C-alpha cells in the first residue's frame, strides 16, 4: 500500500471517530480555506531589510543566532517565500515591512518612500495570487537611536516618523487597490524607557498627537485598514513602553481602527485567546501576531501550544475569521530559517484545524447545564482524537508534503540553495 492509500484509510477511520462525537471532519477541512495567514517576510533575513545604509536591528527586538543561509537580496527573499508557500496547505498572504522596499541600491530615507519602491512586491503578490499586508518600520534607524519615534520630544524626529507612517499608509492603500484585497497596515513603535521615567503622560500625549496626524487621511476600507500594536516591554525598554495595551486599545476603539494583539506582548499569565471576544465587542476587526514568548523574547517560532490553541479555538468557535486578520511574528536565526518558518506556520494552521474539529455546540450545552466534569473530560478526550489523520489528509488534498515529509524538502533546499549563499 502506498503512502496516500494509508493516509486515506487513516482518514476514513478518523472521520468515523469524529462523527461519533458529532463532528463533521469534511466540514472542518473546508473551513480551512478561510484561514489565511499573513507570512511575515522578516523571518527570511532576521528583520534586516534592503536599505542601503545597513542599519543595525534596534528597538528592543533581537534575532539571535547565526545559522547560514540568510536571505540577503530581494530575489533570495522571494525564492525563500516561494519555497515556504509550496510547503503550506491553504492560501496565505505576504506581510512586508517598509525596509524591504525595492530601492535598487539607492538611499531612500523612510520619509521618502513611495509606491514605486514596492511595485515589484505588489507584482510578485499578483503573480502568486496572494494578498499583501504592510508595516511602517519605526526602528533600526538613526532617528530612533534615542528610543523614541512617534512619541519623540525631538520635534524633527517626531515629524520624520509621522511622515514615514503617512507614506506607509498611502502605499498600503495602493497595495490593496491593486491586489483587490484590503492591505492591513500595522504600526508598532519601540518607544519607551529602560529606567523609571517621569513624564509618561507627556510621551503618551505626543504619541496620540502623532497618530492623529499620521492617520488623518482616510482611505477606503476595501483598500487598507489601520492597526496599532502594543507591547509590554522590550530589551532596553523595560520600565515603560509608551504604546501600552491600554493606550492602543483606547485609541483603536475611539478611532474605529484595528488593534493588533501580539501574544508575546503581555504578562506571561495573560492570554490573547481570552482577549479576542473582549475586544471584538468594541472594535470591528483585529490583527493578530501569532508567536511564542519565552522569557525576554517575544518572538520564538510558533509551536502547537495551549496559548495558540486558545487563540484559534476562540476564533473558530465564534466564526470570527472574517473579523480577525491572522499574522505571524517570529524570527529565529539559530536554525534553518525556512524550516523555522514552515514549522511555525504549519503549527498555527494545525491549531485552527483542531479548533474546527471541536464539537462546540455540545460543549456549550454541557456548560449551560452545569456539567463541568463532563466538559472537562470532553476537552481532555478531544486532545487524543485522531487529529493527525485529518491534518495529513488535508495536506494530501492540498498537494503539499504530508507529515514529516517537508523536513526532507527543506533539507534539499538547504543543500541546493541556502548553503550556497
Ligand atoms: C516587536 C513587534 C513587531 C515586530 C515586527 C518586526 O516586538 O512585535 O511587530 O516584531 O514589526
Ligand atoms: Zn508583533
Amino acid at each position: 500500500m502506498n503512502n496516500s492509500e494509508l493516509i486515506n484509510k487513516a482518514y476514513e477511520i478518523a472521520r468515523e471517530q469524529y462523527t461519533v462525537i458529532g463532528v463533521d471532519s469534511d466540514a472542518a477541512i473546508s473551513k480551512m480555506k478561510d484561514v489565511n495567514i499573513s507570512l511575515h517576510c522578516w523571518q527570511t533575513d532576521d528583520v534586516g531589510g534592503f536599505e542601503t545604509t545597513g542599519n543595525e536591528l534596534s528597538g528592543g527586538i533581537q534575532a539571535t543566532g547565526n545559522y547560514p543561509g540568510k536571505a540577503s537580496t530581494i530575489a533570495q527573499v522571494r525564492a525563500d517565500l516561494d519555497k515556504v508557500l509550496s510547503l503550506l496547505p491553504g492560501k496565505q498572504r505576504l506581510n512586508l515591512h517598509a525596509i524591504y522596499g525595492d530601492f535598487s541600491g539607492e538611499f531612500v530615507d523612510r520619509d521618502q518612500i513611495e509606491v514605486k519602491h514596492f511595485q515589484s512586491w505588489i507584482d510578485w503578490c499578483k503573480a502568486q495570487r496572494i494578498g499583501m499586508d504592510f508595516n511602517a518600520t519605526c526602528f533600526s534607524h538613526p532617528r530612533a537611536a534615542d528610543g523614541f519615534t512617534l512619541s519623540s520630544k525631538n520635534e524633527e524626529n517626531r515629524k520624520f516618523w509621522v511622515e514615514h507612517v503617512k507614506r506607509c499608509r498611502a502605499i498600503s492603500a495602493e497595495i490593496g487597490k491593486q491586489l483587490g484585497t484590503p492591505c492591513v497596515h500595522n504600526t508598532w513603535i519601540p518607544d519607551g524607557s529602560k529606567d523609571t521615567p517621569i513624564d509618561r503622560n507627556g510621551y503618551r500625549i505626543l504619541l496620540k498627537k502623532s497618530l492623529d496626524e499620521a492617520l488623518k487621511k482616510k482611505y477606503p476600507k476595501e483598500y487598507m485598514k489601520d492597526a496599532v500594536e502594543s507591547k509590554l516591554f522590550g530589551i532596553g525598554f523595560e520600565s515603560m513602553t509608551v504604546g501600552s495595551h491600554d493606550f492602543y486599545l483606547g485609541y483603536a476603539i475611539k478611532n474605529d481602527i484595528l488593534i493588533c494583539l501580539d501574544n508575546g506582548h503581555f504578562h506571561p499569565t495573560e492570554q490573547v485567546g481570552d482577549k479576542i471576544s473582549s475586544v471584538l465587542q468594541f472594535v470591528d476587526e483585529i490583527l493578530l501576531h501569532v508567536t511564542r514568548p519565552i522569557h525576554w523574547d517575544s518572538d520564538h517560532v510558533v509551536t502547537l501550544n495551549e496559548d495558540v490553541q486558545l487563540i484559534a479555538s476562540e476564533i473558530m468557535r465564534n466564526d470570527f475569521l472574517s473579523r480577525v486578520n491572522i499574522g505571524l511574528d517570529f524570527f529565529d536565526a539559530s536554525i534553518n530559517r525556512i524550516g523555522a518558518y514552515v514549522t511555525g506556520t504549519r503549527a498555527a494552521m494545525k491549531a485552527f484545524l483542531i479548533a474546527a474539529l471541536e464539537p462546540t455546540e455540545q460543549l456549550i450545552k454541557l456548560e449551560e447545564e452545569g456539567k463541568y466534569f463532563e466538559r472537562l473530560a470532553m476537552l481532555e478526550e478531544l486532545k487524543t482524537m485522531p487529529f493527525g489523520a485529518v491534518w495529513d489528509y488535508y495536506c494530501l488534498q492540498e498537494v503539499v508534503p504530508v507529515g514529516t515529509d517537508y523536513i526532507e524538502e527543506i533539507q534539499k533546499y538547504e543543500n541546493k540553495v541556502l548553503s550556497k549563499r
Side-chain angles (χ1 to χ4, degrees), residues 70-317:
K70 168 175 151 177
S72 57
T73 64
I74 291 190
Q76 289 179 355
V77 171
R78 288 184 190 150
D80 289 356
L81 286 167
D82 257 331
K83 189 76 218 168
V84 170
L85 287 166
S86 76
L87 300 175
L88 299 172
K91 197 148 191 62
Q92 286 74 39
R93 301 170 61 86
L94 171 67
N95 195 10
L96 201 78
H97 243 287
I99 45 174
Y100 288 76
D102 201 340
F103 303 118
S104 333
E106 275 175 36
F107 172 64
V108 183
D109 212 349
R110 308 256 177 107
D111 62 342
Q112 299 296 320
I113 56 170
E114 294 174 47
V115 172
K116 68 176 185 198
H117 302 117
F118 299 90
Q119 190 57 52
S120 71
W121 277 113
I122 304 175
D123 296 341
W124 186 82
C125 286
K126 206 178 279 173
Q128 303 276 340
R129 295 163 189 260
I130 61 174
M132 183 172 161
D133 301 307
F134 200 60
N135 303 263
T137 313
C138 301
F139 50 86
S140 307
H141 189 280
R143 286 193 188 271
D146 66 358
F148 293 96
T149 63
L150 290 177
S151 73
S152 179
K153 291 192 177 187
N154 174 325
E155 186 61 6
E156 216 182 278
N157 285 349
R158 192 188 70 79
K159 285 237 165 79
F160 174 89
W161 292 110
V162 168
E163 181 61 28
H164 175 61
V165 175
K166 273 187 190 169
R167 284 175 179 251
C168 287
R169 295 182 64 243
I171 293 164
S172 300
E174 182 61 25
I175 290 171
K177 190 176 174 187
Q178 287 194 33
L179 294 177
T181 161
C183 170
V184 178
H185 176 260
N186 184 44
T187 302
W188 172 73
I189 58 164
D191 301 31
S193 174
K194 181 183 173 80
D195 225 327
T196 314
I198 306 301
D199 197 12
R200 297 172 197 257
N201 184 49
Y203 290 113
R204 291 188 171 128
I205 288 173
L206 284 167
L207 177 54
K208 181 174 177 296
K209 180 178 166 191
S210 296
L211 288 171
D212 287 348
E213 288 168 15
L215 275 65
K216 191 156 183 241
K217 182 154 184 189
K218 302 290 170 225
Y219 295 97
K221 280 201 166 136
E222 309 87 78
Y223 295 167
M224 72 86 68
K225 297 171 189 170
D226 283 293
V228 281
E229 180 183 5
S230 69
K231 192 171 184 178
L232 184 63
F233 75 93
I235 306 163
F237 299 83
E238 288 85 3
S239 294
M240 188 258 321
T241 43
V242 184
S244 62
H245 181 56
D246 312 70
F247 178 94
Y248 281 129
L249 185 59
Y251 195 86
I253 293 170
K254 193 161 181 190
N255 293 282
D256 192 20
I257 60 169
L258 282 62
I259 176 93
C260 170
L261 302 173
D262 179 316
N263 64 304
H265 291 185
F266 294 90
H267 288 283
T269 56
E270 278 185 274
Q271 287 176 303
V272 161
D274 182 57
K275 296 179 189 297
I276 294 171
S277 62
S278 295
V279 301
L280 281 180
Q281 307 298 327
F282 304 102
V283 293
D284 287 344
E285 288 184 39
I286 59 173
L287 168 65
L288 292 179
H289 273 186
V290 182
T291 184
R292 178 168 52 114
I294 304 272
H295 296 296
W296 64 265
D297 179 39
S298 62
D299 306 290
H300 267 55
V301 181
V302 170
T303 56
L304 182 54
N305 64 20
E306 288 200 339
D307 286 337
V308 175
Q309 191 56 62
L310 184 63
I311 291 171
S313 296
E314 280 296 303
I315 296 169
M316 299 308 260
R317 281 171 187 157

Side-chain angles (χ1 to χ4, degrees), residues 366-379:
L366 292 177
E367 187 163 278
E368 287 174 349
E369 289 168 354
K371 293 184 172 163
Y372 298 142
F373 143 66
E374 290 82 349
R375 180 185 63 184
L376 178 68
M378 272 305 287
L379 285 175

